[in-house]
Every structure is written in structure tokens, then in C-alpha cells.
Amino acid sequence: MSPTRRHLLVVDDEPHIGLLLRPHLERLGYRVSLARTLAEARTALDDRHAPLDALLLDLHLPDGSGLDLLRELRDAAATRRLPVIVLTAEGDERVLGEVEELGAALLTKPFSPSKLTARIAAMLDDGPAPAPEDPR
């Protein structure tokens, strides 16, 4: 399946993460929405007009923990299977273990956009994503 129809939500309070990832992912054909707080993420998740295919989630947000949001997603039938990649600098093994138990993939900061792209493509079964400079 082409990533063109895939809608990703990036939840991270660090502005440079969105500024880096959005153009990179859009160039590869993904639709990208950004949220900088849990409140913005919940609003985006509730938007029935823009359903999400995957979530890229930071654990440390100004209004709470991304881990709490991940727990909520797994508790709700509608989002139980939503693919999630946790982007974090967190080093606490207990927290990282819970993230994995909840079925999310982990990518530690700092990360390369190409590594993230490969993880997203594999998670969504999009096959290998073309390199950004690939004219296709």
C-alpha cells in the first residue's frame, strides 16, 4: 500500500522534531499532523474526519505523560491496535518495558529520519519507503 493515504500524528513538545519530521515524511507521501501536548493529541485522535494510521509519541509532554495516553489507547477498542512508535530519550527500564508491553515500538532520541521512516514503513506494512531524493 502506498504511504500517500497514510495519516500520521506526531506528538512531541519539541518544535524541532515536528519541523524536521513533517517535511521529511510529507516528501515520502505521508499526511502528517502535529500535536505538542496531550490535549492536542486527544483532539486529533477524536477527529473522525481525519482518522489516523499511526502515532509517533513522545513520553514527556508539558501537560502529562505520553505513557498515560498510550495506556488509554490500548484500553479503548477503537485504538487498541493503532500502531504507535514511542520517540523518547527516556532511560528508565521500567517505563521502556511498559511501552513494549503495551505493544508500541521504541525509537530513542536522537534518531535519524531514515531510521524512523523505515520503522514507519515496516509498522504500516508499506514496504521500503523510497529515499527522500528518489524522484518517484
Side-chain angles (χ1 to χ4, degrees):
M1 181 177 278
S2 166
T4 309
R5 289 174 258 154
R6 302 296 196 156
H7 184 196
L8 309 176
L9 175 62
V10 178
V11 183
D12 199 307
D13 62 321
E14 297 178 38
H16 70 276
I17 297 289
L19 292 174
L20 172 75
L21 291 182
R22 178 181 246 164
H24 175 75
L25 293 169
E26 286 178 344
R27 204 168 35 253
L28 295 173
Y30 293 100
R31 281 186 356 174
V32 179
S33 297
L34 301 176
R36 295 184 61 192
T37 65
L38 286 176
E40 289 176 7
R42 287 182 177 114
T43 298
L45 284 159
D46 288 340
D47 185 354
R48 301 288 178 233
H49 300 292
L52 297 171
D53 294 295
L55 180 67
L56 309 179
L57 178 64
D58 186 18
L59 293 181
H60 301 287
L61 298 164
D63 56 344
S65 169
L67 186 55
D68 290 338
L69 179 61
L70 182 57
R71 288 183 195 117
E72 291 170 24
L73 293 172
R74 295 307 184 234
D75 285 343
T79 55
R80 187 165 290 135
R81 288 185 169 68
L82 179 69
V84 176
I85 296 176
V86 169
L87 309 173
T88 188
E90 176 65 58
D92 184 326
E93 291 299 321
R94 182 190 57 77
V95 171
L96 299 177
E98 184 173 357
V99 166
E100 290 180 328
E101 285 173 20
L102 290 167
L106 275 170
L107 195 58
T108 56
K109 294 178 182 178
F111 56 85
S112 72
S114 59
K115 187 171 187 175
L116 176 63
T117 300
R119 280 299 227 0
I120 292 169
M123 182 173 68
L124 294 175
D125 201 24
D126 286 335
E133 53 279 346
D134 189 340
R136 288 185 285 152

